[in-house]
Amino acid sequence: YWTMEDHTNYFSSIQKLRIDKTSSLVEHFRRTSQLSQLLIQSLTFTILLLALVAILNNQLTTDSLAIGNLIVFLCILIQAFLVLFLVHWKWNRLDLSVDAVIKFFASGFLLTTGLAMFFEMLTSTAFQIIFEILAALWNSVDNHTLNEEDTTTKTTTYPILTLLYLILNAYAVAALIEELCKYFGFWMVDHPDLAIPVTAMSTIHPLNGEPVTNVLTTEEAPLPTESSLTDTTTITTILSEQRERRSYVSLGSAITISMIAVSLGFACCENLIYVFIYARGNVNVEMTVLLMRSLFPIHPLAAAIQSIGVVKRDIEGIRQFSIGRIIFPAVILHGTFDFLLMLMAFIGGQYSSKDDNKEDETISSTMVIISLICFVTSILVVLIGFCFYFKEARAQRARLAILDNHEILASAYISLV
């Protein structure tokens, strides 16, 4: 809606790139729409403007912090683009166009992050207020106003309530809202690359046995003659046409890449917030935060898991797969990951507050152990998520291949009759 450009103005050239199996990245960028070109130009202008400000600041104040922050900013972008390059261009370049990747990434960066922050702020504030009320009722005398210091004090006074608060914060505030926003961030982009064709096999789905609407029936297509079935030239022509058709396997990969692109845009913007707002300091601290967040790709992993459900519903035709079932595994993974981090931080805070009289070396060694447990457990959760995704994706790819085979046979049957 920014450029009001019709899909027909650019999509035919994108289709030609796919049919010709063009491997030139430059050529794919040249065939992008006006909106994608505008987004690229805006990013280029932003980088040049920040570079100019950093250089001028360094010249006027002899302060290298601005240059360092610029380098960190570029590293955040490069980290997201590198993952996107591997997932899309290296392994699935013909399943989704560069134009679509740019738009889905922009949706995650510009739209999804803001929505998630807004709803997280509302729900987090509501949970904090509820936490304050429960703490006051628990003690019957605590009527302090809500502020950060009081909340920190109550975490050591009411560990059970704090544990409940951490669970709600991890699963409801962070995981549920962010996964929902990423899901709708995917649907905010209307791109012809994801147009799902109507199956032309029969009135019954080959996998789930449910009726398929808008298909050709046997009444509309009479039985083929014996000669038509043995016409080698006709069959060769049909198979040649099928090679130009988007396969269901390709469409499934396109949906997965699109949702990962949204999540990478979201994660990129979130990294900028964490590095330059929450962990602002010297360049070493900022790079450490970026490195630690890059080691745990929870957002793209959760988006890939979501895509399994979307493909089941929209391509495999399992209509009972509602939005709740689609995002549920991703919410569990994301929420568990966040909860473990919050729990370890809470345990560390509890230990420090109770052992103020101990030697600093004892406290330091215990905190190292707690941090190590947090790190190892987080890696384990991410590995479990990857194993779950690859298992489901492999099984789904096999089912989509069956759909493709049925589609080829059905198209051949209808074309021959």
Side-chain angles (χ1 to χ4, degrees):
Y1 297 102
W2 291 355
T3 61
M4 303 303 293
E5 183 181 15
D6 193 88
H7 291 161
T8 57
N9 292 346
Y10 62 89
F11 189 59
S12 59
S13 60
I14 291 177
Q15 286 180 310
K16 189 175 187 304
L17 290 174
R18 181 179 293 114
I19 294 173
D20 295 342
K21 296 184 179 180
T22 305
S23 59
S24 171
L25 182 60
V26 175
E27 196 64 29
H28 279 261
F29 271 100
R30 288 180 57 189
R31 305 293 179 90
T32 55
S33 63
Q34 295 178 11
L35 176 58
S36 294
Q37 293 173 10
L38 178 62
L39 291 169
I40 294 174
Q41 293 168 3
S42 300
L43 177 61
T44 304
F45 174 78
T46 302
I47 294 175
L48 293 177
L49 180 62
L50 291 176
L52 178 61
V53 171
I55 293 173
L56 290 176
N57 184 74
N58 184 60
Q59 293 292 329
L60 296 176
T61 63
T62 65
D63 183 9
S64 60
L65 181 60
I67 297 293
N69 287 336
L70 176 64
I71 294 175
V72 174
F73 173 78
L74 293 176
C75 287
I76 293 174
L77 295 180
I78 292 172
Q79 182 264 346
F81 294 157
L82 179 61
V83 176
L84 202 53
F85 174 82
L86 293 175
V87 173
H88 171 246
W89 188 254
K90 184 69 175 178
W91 299 320
N92 302 281
R93 69 182 66 178
L94 297 179
D95 294 323
L96 190 69
S97 65
V98 171
D99 180 76
V101 170
I102 294 172
K103 291 174 180 176
F104 281 109
F105 184 89
S107 174
F109 189 95
L110 299 174
L111 303 177
T112 306
T113 311
L115 289 174
M117 291 180 62
F118 174 76
F119 288 111
E120 282 179 334
M121 180 184 65
L122 291 181
T123 54
S124 179
T125 302
F127 284 144
Q128 286 184 9
I129 294 175
I130 294 173
F131 176 74
E132 287 284 333
I133 295 174
L134 292 176
L137 294 175
W138 193 295
N139 201 35
S140 301
V141 294
D142 195 347
N143 294 315
H144 293 299
T145 58
L146 179 65
N147 57 61
E148 185 177 354
E149 183 178 355
D150 280 342
T151 302
T152 304
T153 302
K154 288 179 176 59
T155 59
T156 59
T157 307
Y158 309 103
I160 297 179
L161 289 178
T162 301
L163 184 63
L164 177 61
Y165 173 77
L166 292 180
I167 293 174
L168 291 174
N169 198 44
Y171 288 94
V173 177
L176 179 60
I177 290 178
E178 290 181 7
E179 295 308 317
L180 272 174
C181 288
K182 286 188 293 182
Y183 173 84
F184 286 111
F186 164 71
W187 288 108
M188 288 179 191
V189 180
D190 179 21
H191 199 279
D193 242 357
L194 296 182
I196 300 175
V198 177
T199 179
M201 301 171 295
S202 64
T203 56
I204 300 298
H205 197 285
L207 295 180
N208 58 32
E210 294 183 354
V212 180
T213 58
N214 298 327
V215 298
L216 296 176
T217 64
T218 53
E219 293 180 356
E220 296 169 327
L223 291 174
T225 62
E226 183 177 353
S227 60
S228 66
L229 287 174
T230 58
D231 188 345
T232 306
T233 304
T234 304
I235 294 176
T236 303
T237 303
I238 292 171
L239 294 177
S240 176
E241 292 174 354
Q242 286 299 317
R243 280 191 284 270
E244 296 185 2
R245 182 188 61 84
R246 289 292 300 280
S247 68
Y248 291 110
V249 172
S250 177
L251 281 169
S253 298
I255 290 176
T256 299
I257 299 166
S258 300
M259 300 190 76
I260 290 177
V262 172
S263 69
L264 285 172
F266 177 90
C268 182
C269 186
E270 191 179 60
N271 285 341
L272 290 172
I273 295 172
Y274 271 88
V275 168
F276 293 115
I277 297 179
Y278 296 154
R280 55 186 304 179
N282 57 51
V283 176
N284 292 333
V285 173
E286 295 172 349
M287 288 299 294
T288 301
V289 172
L290 175 60
L291 178 62
M292 293 303 297
R293 291 184 61 82
S294 300
L295 290 175
F296 303 103
I298 198 67
H299 286 300
L301 175 57
I305 291 175
Q306 277 196 43
S307 71
I308 298 292
V310 174
V311 173
K312 281 184 178 181
R313 183 191 62 192
D314 296 340
I315 296 183
E316 296 186 53
I318 307 176
R319 293 302 173 187
Q320 299 87 349
F321 229 81
S322 61
I323 181 174
R325 292 182 63 184
I326 289 174
I327 70 171
F328 179 75
V331 170
I332 294 299
L333 174 70
H334 192 166
T336 302
F337 178 82
D338 285 353
F339 174 71
L340 288 172
L341 296 182
M342 295 177 186
L343 180 63
M344 293 303 171
F346 169 67
I347 293 174
Q350 287 284 89
Y351 180 86
S352 299
S353 63
K354 291 180 179 180
D355 298 312
D356 289 335
N357 296 327
K358 288 189 176 183
E359 296 293 333
D360 291 341
E361 293 183 0
T362 304
I363 296 176
S364 178
S365 61
T366 304
M367 292 304 299
V368 169
I369 294 174
I370 293 175
S371 300
L372 183 61
I373 294 174
C374 172
F375 183 78
V376 173
T377 309
S378 301
I379 291 179
L380 182 61
V381 170
V382 173
L383 290 177
I384 292 174
F386 272 111
C387 291
F388 174 81
Y389 166 71
F390 284 118
K391 174 181 175 294
E392 292 292 319
R394 187 179 296 110
Q396 185 170 79
R397 192 175 184 88
R399 295 193 301 269
L400 294 178
I402 293 175
L403 282 177
D404 281 322
N405 291 335
H406 278 77
E407 180 82 358
I408 293 174
L409 293 175
S411 298
Y413 169 80
I414 294 172
S415 300
L416 288 171
V417 295

